[in-house]
Structure formats: structure tokens, C-alpha cells
Amino acid sequence: AAILLKLGGYGLIRISPLLNPHPSNLMFPIIILALWGILMTSSICLRQTDLKALIAYSSVSHMGLVTAAILVQTPWGLTGAMTLMIAHGLTSSALFALANTNYERTHTRTLLLVRGLQLAFPLMSTWWLLTNLTNMAMPPTINLLGELFIISTLFNWSPPTIIITGIGTLITATYSLYMFLMTQRGSISTQFRLLPPTHTREHLTTALHLLPLGLLIMKPALISGLFT
């Protein structure tokens, strides 16, 4: 999710100029499919019972935005795509790392079984909250900047796309909160009363994901390539 999807995005960035000036009837259906994929994969996330599957479908949903922005072929679209790809690479990797820390202790990825972990791991629950807020592009994260660039680009390309991107953003916020509440809140199962404590390396790994996301908003030109 953090590397291979970005290689695909890089390939689109390199190949798309070869089709420029591209006929609108060629790109239009592909962009519409990308936007439709955002809604479909986001909706699938709402009914997932497997934690890692939920995170994986979330990655596909975000890459739908990136694909549409790249194919529009405008400076703002490419800037938003670059920004969101880097931000999503760190966010998605952090979510998978947190999911693995849960799995190493509970040996299950089923959301219904791993509830109430905030009582056992309060600091890890804080990492979960920050990562989920980043995943839903809460300000002042770099994810928000990328999504604003992309949504503005698509709206300028075709105003009705604001409906699809708006609904997609709403569903993203919904399943991100759903993921946090299902894993951290509620009463912990009796079979998980004796859980091994978290380790410093796990907290360090998560911090090394979230710290760059927090610092990049200070100078987004490092990854956007739009401003000098």
C-alpha cells in the first residue's frame, strides 16, 4: 500500500503526458471510473469485519482520487496527487503497523473480537486516534492539503464531481471513526485480560510515521513541487 500503489501513481504521471493533448472522450470514462471506485471502495470499508482488509480498501479509495487528479493533467492536479500519495504512504503504513501490533497480542483481525483495547493500551490508543484523524484528512495534516488540491482540480474540470468527492470524503470520515471505535472503545473481551505490554520500538515506529506528516505541513513545497 505504501510503495506499490505509489509506483503505479508514478507510472501514471510519466505516461499521461504522452497522451497530451488527449481526447476528452478517452479520459472522461477513466476519470469517472476512478471517481466511482472511490464511492465503491469507501462503501465496502463500512461493512468490513477484517481490520487489515478495511485498511487495504481505504488505500484503494484514496488512490482513486490520485488517479483522477493525474488524468486531468493540470499543475494543481499533479501537485495534489504527489502530496496525497506521500501523505497516504505514511498514513497507510502507520495503520498497517498499528493493526499488526493488535494482531500480535490478540491473534485475530476480526473487529468484533478486538474491542476495548484502549483500556489495555492507552498510549497505543492515542496513536490510533492520531492516525485515523490523519487518514480522514483532518486539519492541519498534509492529507488535507492534497485532497483540497485534488477536489479543486476536479471541480474546475467538471463541477458535478464535487458531489462524488464530497460523498467520498464523508464516507472516509465515517469508516475512519468506525475503525477507531470498533478497535479501541467498548468493553474488552474476557479472553484478552492478560495481554503483553506494548514495546518502545512499536511506539517509535508509529512516531516515525506521524512526525513527518506533522512537519511537512510546515513546508509543503518539499513534496508538492508547486511552489519555489
Side-chain angles (χ1 to χ4, degrees):
I3 303 299
L4 295 180
L5 287 178
K6 306 310 168 291
L7 286 175
Y10 174 73
L12 286 174
I13 292 175
R14 295 300 299 268
I15 294 298
S16 294
L18 300 180
L19 306 175
N20 193 26
H22 48 69
S24 58
N25 58 353
L26 173 65
M27 288 302 174
F28 185 78
I30 302 177
I31 296 174
I32 292 301
L33 282 175
L35 293 173
W36 183 248
I38 296 171
L39 296 182
M40 290 296 99
T41 51
S42 298
S43 302
I44 290 173
C45 289
L46 292 176
R47 62 184 301 274
Q48 278 299 318
T49 58
D50 187 288
L51 180 57
K52 283 193 175 181
L54 195 160
I55 299 171
Y57 279 114
S58 171
S59 299
V60 179
S61 173
H62 284 93
M63 288 305 294
L65 277 173
V66 171
T67 303
I70 292 173
L71 295 179
V72 172
Q73 281 293 294
T74 62
W76 272 43
L78 294 176
T79 297
M82 283 290 297
T83 304
L84 190 59
M85 278 197 296
I86 293 174
H88 170 260
L90 292 167
T91 306
S92 179
S93 180
L95 285 171
F96 276 116
L98 289 170
N100 185 64
T101 60
N102 285 4
Y103 181 76
E104 286 180 347
R105 287 159 178 81
T106 61
H107 303 290
T108 180
R109 298 197 302 262
T110 305
L111 290 171
L112 291 175
L113 298 179
V114 293
R115 304 188 66 177
L117 293 181
Q118 180 183 4
L119 298 174
F121 311 118
L123 181 55
M124 193 61 71
S125 181
T126 303
W127 292 126
W128 269 103
L129 177 61
L130 292 175
T131 310
N132 277 282
L133 291 177
T134 305
N135 191 54
M136 70 172 71
M138 286 288 287
T141 60
I142 199 73
N143 303 58
L144 176 65
L145 181 65
E147 290 195 9
L148 286 177
F149 272 121
I150 292 175
I151 292 173
S152 301
T153 299
L154 293 174
F155 180 77
N156 186 59
W157 175 73
S158 177
T161 57
I162 194 69
I163 300 174
I164 300 178
T165 53
I167 296 174
T169 303
L170 180 62
I171 299 177
T172 299
T174 304
Y175 71 69
S176 296
L177 289 174
Y178 165 76
M179 177 164 50
F180 175 76
L181 294 175
M182 288 297 290
T183 56
Q184 305 302 312
R185 305 295 293 177
S187 57
I188 192 169
S189 175
T190 54
Q191 62 179 332
F192 299 139
R193 292 299 183 185
L194 298 176
L195 293 173
T198 55
H199 304 296
T200 304
R201 60 175 175 81
E202 294 169 337
H203 296 290
L204 181 61
T205 300
T206 311
L208 290 176
H209 282 93
L210 296 181
L211 190 61
L213 288 172
L215 294 177
L216 282 173
I217 197 62
M218 304 294 182
K219 191 174 177 58
L222 292 174
I223 57 175
S224 66
L226 181 63
F227 306 107
T228 56

